[in-house]
């Protein structure tokens, strides 16, 4: 029998098998995994049933036949034909003391049968790629010299890599067809559902067209993801009362009808491959060309190749695993901080009690004046605003201050945005936002302006524009408000942005025809003052949602702030009567938990608001981001401005004087800056008896105050 010497150059040394767990089984052998040179391969051995209990001559014939398959596979080189590596002889004794050869091939992930059953709705571009790979492999075999007919082409003998590259395997029953062969061939041993009539006849004669017929079954199986079992070969014709034979196309009609519209162009090709007469079937060269056209079309729709998708999947899996570890660590950290949070809550309550009782507390914070002394604030001038501003709006991030708002008549640009850098003590102007009367706010670390009206048409807007520092332009990054509003109250709390009130014109724009061009002007009707509340969760980046509670009264041109878990509003402008001294507060948690689709207003929608004492002065500006309610400046009933800074005493429900500004001003924008709680006072006006006085006396000065406690005897 054949030995390693008969197979010079193909015998492998150093092959080791694993636990010989079976990977697959064919008609003439079983497959298991082996390792060679550090890599894993598939090994195919002869079924023991074929060599056990037979004579020496029969066993040698079987071994010689197996080695002929190995020799034939060793001469084939194509990316869509399973790659033969060599043979090896296991160290264990074989049958009757004879060592049996084992074929070593490349390892594949799955068969086409397994993949079709395992995955639902395989993408069309992958299906086209699979059948195109099979057609290329058959084209190579048929173009071999002499041609090779596979004879057993079925989904079980088409193997796929993890990247869904298809390769033809199990060439043990392949037949070399010589051009001058006149002999009747043996009956093809292939799968009956995929075999043509000539391969199943008693005295068959066939050629490469046998595989073309089987390929049609591969196409139907791949695209329908269903095994294409043909119907009976004959039927009884009740009219002629005789048996009528079905064509091969008719036997598979139900599977042809299941081809979707996207692959309807494949149907004529499949029907040609199923022709009864082998001569009428197309060659694999023609099949390859027609399959490739469909593949190229769908590959353009799916530009990402399967390798990139697998790489992305691996990256995402690593990222997800990392995030899961982080989440678990955060859970552990949160569990470990429960005691610490309880301790901090106790300390906070203790400090609150000290504050209410007016006990001295050390530190730089701005607190109520004490009986034994009072706070003195040392004021320093910062760089002036680029233009006077009588009613500015401000927000702060780190050591940068952003300001928008009303300017003097000489600088009639109400959509300008100014930025101040504390490190260089300098104001700069960034591109206009295109929204006059909008409110600046830091959302998710980005500067945004909310609401206002459009400069030319004067129409109110619901736009939320975000400044992109890279392009130095305003973009739509967060969703727009549910309703247009100008000069609303805006405040942020954790991941929430709260927008309240604002004014909206109750008139429609009037189009005037000025001969050559038309212009849009706004009717001078009184605006509608709103009282609804909208909330955005910017982390989820979902849409704005209204809450089922409204402001205590309609408001606009006011500045809300967060103080000790409460939303605080001071002063407002009603639809009929202007009031500027009232103040209210509500728990932030009551706002958040009432986020739901807006319901018809009920009688108790404002009952959760807590009335506070009226401030002493009109137009007093709340201090943003300060733990205790505080207001700055304002004016009395006669329009005389004040220098006073007042703080709210919850114990007596009253506003008490804390200290004074360096100069009197009203409608200022005040913010707490940095960890030292330095107070920055921006713009405002000195005479507020009328809007003309406010415009004429608007300020461009910016002052910073730092508190120092002074004891008195």
């Amino acid at each position: 029998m054949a030995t390693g010497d008969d197979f010079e150059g193909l015998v492998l040394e150093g092959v080791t098998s694993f636990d010989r767990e079976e990977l697959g089984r064919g008609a003439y052998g079983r497959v298991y995994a082996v390792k060679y040179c550090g890599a894993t391969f598939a090994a195919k051995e002869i079924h023991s049933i074929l060599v056990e209990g037979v004579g020496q001559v029969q066993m040698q014939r079987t071994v010689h036949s197996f080695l002929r398959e190995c020799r034939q596979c060793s001469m084939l080189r194509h990316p869509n034909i399973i790659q033969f590596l060599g043979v090896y002889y296991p160290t264990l004794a074989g049958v009757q003391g004879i060592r049996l050869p084992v074929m070593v091939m490349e390892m594949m992930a799955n068969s086409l049968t397994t993949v079709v059953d395992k995955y639902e709705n395989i993408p069309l571009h992958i299906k086209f790629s699979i059948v195109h790979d099979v057609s290329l492999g058959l084209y190579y075999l048929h173009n071999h010299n002499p041609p090779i007919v596979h004879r057993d082409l079925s989904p079980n003998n088409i193997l796929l890599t993890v990247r869904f590259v298809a390769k033809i395997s199990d060439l043990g029953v392949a037949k070399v067809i010589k051009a001058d062969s006149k002999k009747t061939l043996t009956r093809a041993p292939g799968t009956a559902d995929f075999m043509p009539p000539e391969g199943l006849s008693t005295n068959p004669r066939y050629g490469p067209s046998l595989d073309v017929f089987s390929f049609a079954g591969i196409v139907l199986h791949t695209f329908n993801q269903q095994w294409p079992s043909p119907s009976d070969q004959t039927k009884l014709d009740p009219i002629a009362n005789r048996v009528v034979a079905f064509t091969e196309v008719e036997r598979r009609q139900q599977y042809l009808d299941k081809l979707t519209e996207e692959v309807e162009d494949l149907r004529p090709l499949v029907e040609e491959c199923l022709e009864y007469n082998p001569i009428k079937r197309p060659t694999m060269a023609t099949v390859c060309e027609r399959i490739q056209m469909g593949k190229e079309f769908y590959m353009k729709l799916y530009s990402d190749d399967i390798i990139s998708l697998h790489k992305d999947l691996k990256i995402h899996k690593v990222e997800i695993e990392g995030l899961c570890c982080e989440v678990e660590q955060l859970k552990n950290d949160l569990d470990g901080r429960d005691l610490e949070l309880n301790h901090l809550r106790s300390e906070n309550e203790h400090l609150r009690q000290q504050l209410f009782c007016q006990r001295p507390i050390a530190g730089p914070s701005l607190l109520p004046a004490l009986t034994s002394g009072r706070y003195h604030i040392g004021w320093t001038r910062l760089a002036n605003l680029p233009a006077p501003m009588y009613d500015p709006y401000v927000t702060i991030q780190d050591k940068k201050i952003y300001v928008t708002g009303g300017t003097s008549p000489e600088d009639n640009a109400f959509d300008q945005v100014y930025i101040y850098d504390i490190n260089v003590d300098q104001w700069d102007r960034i591109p206009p936002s295109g929204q006059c009367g909008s409110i600046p706010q830091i959302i998710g670390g980005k500067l945004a302006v909310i609401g206002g009206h459009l400069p030319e048409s004067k129409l109110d807007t619901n736009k939320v524009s975000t400044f992109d520092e890279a392009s130095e332009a305003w973009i739509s990054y967060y969703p727009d408000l549910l309703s247009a509003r100008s000069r609303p109250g805006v405040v942020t709390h954790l991941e929430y942005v709260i927008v309240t009130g604002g004014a909206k014109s109750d008139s429609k724009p009037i189009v005037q025809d000025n001969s050559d061009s038309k212009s849009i002007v706004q009717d001078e009707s009184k605006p509608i003052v709103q009282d609804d509340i909208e909330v955005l969760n910017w982390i989820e980046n979902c849409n704005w949602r209204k809450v089922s509670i409204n402001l205590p009264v309609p408001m606009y041109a006011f500045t809300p702030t967060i103080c000790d878990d409460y939303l605080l509003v001071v002063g407002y402008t009603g639809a009929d009567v202007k009031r500027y001294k009232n103040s209210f507060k509500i728990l932030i948690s009551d706002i958040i938990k009432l986020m739901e689709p807006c319901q018809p207003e009920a009688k108790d929608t404002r009952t959760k608001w807590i009335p506070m004492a009226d401030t002493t002065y009109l137009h007093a500006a709340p201090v943003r981001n300060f733990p205790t309610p505080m207001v700055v400046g304002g004016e009395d009933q006669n329009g005389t401005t004040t220098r006073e800074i007042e703080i709210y005493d919850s114990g007596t429900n009253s506003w008490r004087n804390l200290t004074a500004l360096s100069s009197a001003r009203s409608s200022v924008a005040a913010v707490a800056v940095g960890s030292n709680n330095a107070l920055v006072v921006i713009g405002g006006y000195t005479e507020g008896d009328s809007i003309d006085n406010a415009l004429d006396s608007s300020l461009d000065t910016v002052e910073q105050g730092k508190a120092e406690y002074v004891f008195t005897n």
Side-chain angles (χ1 to χ4, degrees):
M1 67 165 289
T3 64
D5 295 335
D6 302 320
F7 236 54
E8 184 179 356
L10 297 181
V11 178
L12 306 176
E13 300 292 342
V15 177
T16 58
S17 63
F18 292 102
D19 55 4
R20 296 175 70 86
E21 178 183 356
E22 188 173 295
L23 301 177
R25 182 177 292 267
Y28 296 95
R30 60 184 294 272
V31 181
Y32 58 92
V34 296
K35 179 168 284 189
Y36 176 67
C37 294
T40 302
F41 295 91
K44 178 182 176 182
E45 67 178 8
I46 302 173
H47 275 317
S48 59
I49 193 173
L50 298 178
V51 292
E52 290 179 351
V54 300
Q56 186 80 8
V57 175
Q58 180 61 38
M59 184 177 64
Q60 287 185 354
R61 288 177 181 173
T62 301
V63 173
H64 275 292
S65 176
F66 184 81
L67 289 175
R68 278 198 304 272
E69 177 188 354
C70 295
R71 176 65 71 182
Q72 180 168 288
C73 290
S74 69
M75 295 184 294
L76 301 178
R77 294 288 187 273
H78 192 273
N80 299 117
I81 302 295
I82 201 75
Q83 184 62 54
F84 170 80
L85 195 67
V87 298
Y88 89 101
Y89 291 87
T91 56
L92 298 177
V95 179
Q96 301 177 19
I98 298 176
R99 296 165 65 201
L100 301 177
V102 176
M103 179 192 299
V104 181
M105 307 166 290
E106 63 178 311
M107 177 71 79
M108 302 293 284
N110 288 298
S111 69
L112 178 59
T113 305
T114 303
V115 169
V116 166
D117 291 341
K118 184 177 180 180
Y119 300 103
E120 294 183 5
N121 301 321
I122 299 174
L124 283 178
H125 71 293
I126 294 180
K127 291 180 179 179
F128 267 106
S129 179
I130 290 173
V131 297
H132 186 246
D133 288 346
V134 176
S135 68
L136 290 174
L138 286 177
Y139 185 18
Y140 169 77
L141 293 176
H142 295 177
N143 201 48
H144 196 271
N145 187 19
I148 298 174
V149 181
H150 189 280
R151 300 202 306 166
D152 189 15
L153 190 68
S154 74
N156 295 328
N157 292 331
I158 296 171
L159 304 183
L160 303 177
T161 68
V162 292
R163 298 179 178 87
F164 298 105
V165 176
K167 301 192 179 191
I168 299 173
S169 70
D170 206 353
L171 294 167
V173 297
K175 195 78 172 179
V176 176
I177 307 296
K178 296 182 179 180
D180 58 351
S181 176
K182 304 293 184 182
K183 296 186 297 182
T184 299
L185 303 174
T186 58
R187 184 172 179 177
T191 305
D193 290 345
F194 292 81
M195 291 299 295
E198 70 268 19
L200 299 174
S201 63
T202 305
N203 297 308
R205 286 191 59 80
Y206 49 80
S209 59
L210 180 142
D211 291 338
V212 175
F213 186 98
S214 301
F215 178 77
I218 297 295
V219 174
L220 293 175
H221 178 258
T222 303
F223 281 93
N224 292 332
Q225 294 193 234
Q226 186 177 5
W227 191 271
S229 300
S231 64
D232 295 336
Q233 293 178 315
T234 60
K235 69 175 180 177
L236 178 63
D237 187 344
I239 299 176
N241 193 24
R242 62 186 178 88
V243 175
V244 179
F246 280 120
T247 66
E248 294 300 324
V249 172
E250 290 174 333
R251 296 182 67 197
R252 295 162 178 83
Q253 191 66 47
Q254 59 172 321
Y255 303 104
L256 289 166
D257 293 340
K258 289 181 180 180
L259 292 174
T260 60
E261 293 182 1
E262 293 91 342
V263 295
E264 185 65 27
D265 292 342
L266 280 179
R267 180 164 181 161
L269 175 62
V270 174
E271 291 178 348
E272 290 174 29
C273 293
L274 292 173
E275 275 286 344
Y276 181 88
N277 187 347
I279 299 177
K280 294 184 178 181
R281 296 172 198 156
T283 64
M284 286 312 302
T286 301
V287 171
C288 284
E289 183 177 346
R290 292 170 67 175
I291 291 290
Q292 185 172 2
M293 289 189 294
K295 175 185 175 182
E296 291 176 349
F297 174 79
Y298 281 99
M299 280 298 183
K300 293 177 182 178
L301 300 181
Y302 299 88
S303 57
D304 291 335
D305 60 79
I306 199 69
I307 298 177
S308 299
L309 293 176
H310 274 274
K311 288 182 179 179
D312 292 342
L313 179 60
K314 290 181 179 179
I315 293 173
H316 292 326
K317 288 180 68 175
V318 172
E319 291 176 349
I320 291 172
E321 290 173 358
L323 290 174
C324 289
C325 292
E326 291 182 11
V327 169
E328 189 64 29
Q329 183 61 44
L330 288 173
K331 288 182 179 178
N332 294 335
D333 293 344
L334 289 174
D335 292 339
R337 291 178 181 176
D338 283 345
L339 293 176
E340 181 181 351
L341 289 174
N342 290 333
H343 177 69
L344 291 174
R345 291 190 183 100
S346 299
E347 286 188 352
N348 182 53
E349 184 62 26
H350 177 66
L351 292 174
R352 284 167 57 86
Q353 292 177 1
Q354 286 183 319
L355 175 61
F356 295 157
C357 296
Q358 300 182 4
R359 296 173 184 172
I361 302 175
S365 300
L366 297 173
L367 299 174
L370 308 179
T371 55
S372 59
R374 66 183 297 108
Y375 271 96
H376 168 74
I377 294 184
W379 295 97
T380 56
R381 287 283 296 273
L382 302 181
N384 288 351
L385 290 166
M389 306 187 82
Y390 71 91
D391 196 5
Y393 294 95
V394 66
T395 189
I396 183 169
Q397 182 182 37
D398 298 329
K399 293 188 176 182
K400 291 185 179 180
I401 302 173
Y402 303 91
V403 175
T404 65
T407 58
S408 69
E410 289 77 14
D411 185 10
N412 191 25
F414 292 90
D415 62 344
Q416 300 296 310
V417 182
Y418 301 105
I419 178 175
Y420 173 78
D421 190 332
I422 294 176
N423 293 323
V424 297
D425 188 26
Q426 176 179 321
W427 288 93
D428 290 310
R429 178 181 292 182
I430 63 178
S433 67
Q435 295 169 236
C436 300
S438 60
I439 308 301
Q441 193 62 252
I442 301 298
I443 307 177
K446 302 177 183 294
L447 173 64
V449 292
I450 300 173
H453 63 269
L454 304 179
E456 296 182 0
S457 66
K458 307 300 182 183
L459 296 176
D460 299 312
T461 181
N462 64 339
K463 289 181 61 177
V464 177
S465 300
T466 304
F467 186 67
D468 180 29
E469 293 186 357
S471 62
E472 294 188 349
W474 293 90
I475 61 174
S476 295
Y477 187 85
Y478 294 106
D480 291 338
L481 294 167
L482 296 176
S483 59
R485 57 187 76 209
S486 180
R487 302 177 76 186
V490 181
V491 69
T492 59
H493 175 70
L494 301 178
E495 70 268 35
Y496 298 101
V497 184
I498 302 173
V499 174
T500 64
K504 183 178 181 181
S505 174
D506 63 349
S507 63
K508 297 181 179 179
I510 300 174
V511 179
Q512 292 183 338
D513 190 350
N514 299 325
S515 63
D516 296 335
S517 63
K518 293 182 179 181
S519 61
I520 300 177
V521 299
Q522 189 72 24
D523 192 359
E524 296 299 330
S525 302
K526 291 183 179 180
I528 298 174
V529 182
Q530 298 171 259
D531 62 357
D532 60 327
I533 301 174
E534 296 184 34
V535 180
L536 172 71
N537 186 322
W538 61 266
I539 290 182
E540 295 179 356
N541 199 21
C542 56
N543 292 325
W544 291 85
R545 297 179 63 184
K546 288 192 177 181
V547 298
S548 58
I549 189 169
N550 292 5
L551 291 169
V553 288
M555 301 185 184
Y556 81 100
F558 67 104
T559 304
T561 186
I562 303 293
C563 296
D564 195 23
D565 296 331
Y566 281 90
L567 172 64
L568 173 70
V569 295
V570 178
Y572 61 90
T573 302
D576 299 318
V577 180
K578 294 182 179 180
R579 304 180 180 126
Y580 303 96
K581 298 170 64 176
N582 299 73
S583 58
F584 302 88
K585 66 179 181 179
I586 187 173
L587 281 170
I588 287 291
S589 59
D590 286 342
I591 295 289
I592 302 304
K593 70 183 180 182
L594 292 173
M595 287 175 63
E596 58 187 16
C598 187
Q599 303 294 328
E601 184 176 342
K603 294 182 179 180
D604 60 347
T605 54
R606 299 182 176 91
T607 56
K608 292 182 179 294
W609 287 92
I610 302 173
M612 301 166 60
D614 293 352
T615 58
T616 305
Y617 298 98
L618 306 172
H619 296 292
V623 178
R624 300 285 298 274
N625 308 324
F626 198 72
T628 305
M630 182 185 296
V631 294
V632 175
E635 60 193 73
D636 59 21
Q637 298 290 346
N638 298 320
T640 303
T641 55
T642 180
R643 301 171 54 229
E644 290 195 14
I645 299 177
E646 295 186 314
I647 195 166
Y648 180 71
D649 185 348
S650 60
T652 60
N653 188 27
S654 63
W655 293 87
R656 304 175 62 250
N657 178 263
L658 174 68
T659 183
L661 296 165
S662 62
S663 60
R665 62 177 77 187
S666 182
S667 288
V668 297
V671 295
V673 179
S675 59
N676 62 350
N677 287 337
L679 195 66
V680 175
V681 180
I682 300 174
Y685 53 80
T686 57
E687 297 179 22
D689 184 43
S690 66
I691 186 63
D692 292 333
N693 288 341
L695 290 171
D696 293 340
S697 64
S698 58
L699 302 173
D700 61 0
T701 56
V702 180
E703 296 181 88
Q704 176 179 262
K706 293 188 178 181
E708 177 183 349
Y709 187 75
V710 179
F711 288 93
T712 58
N713 297 325

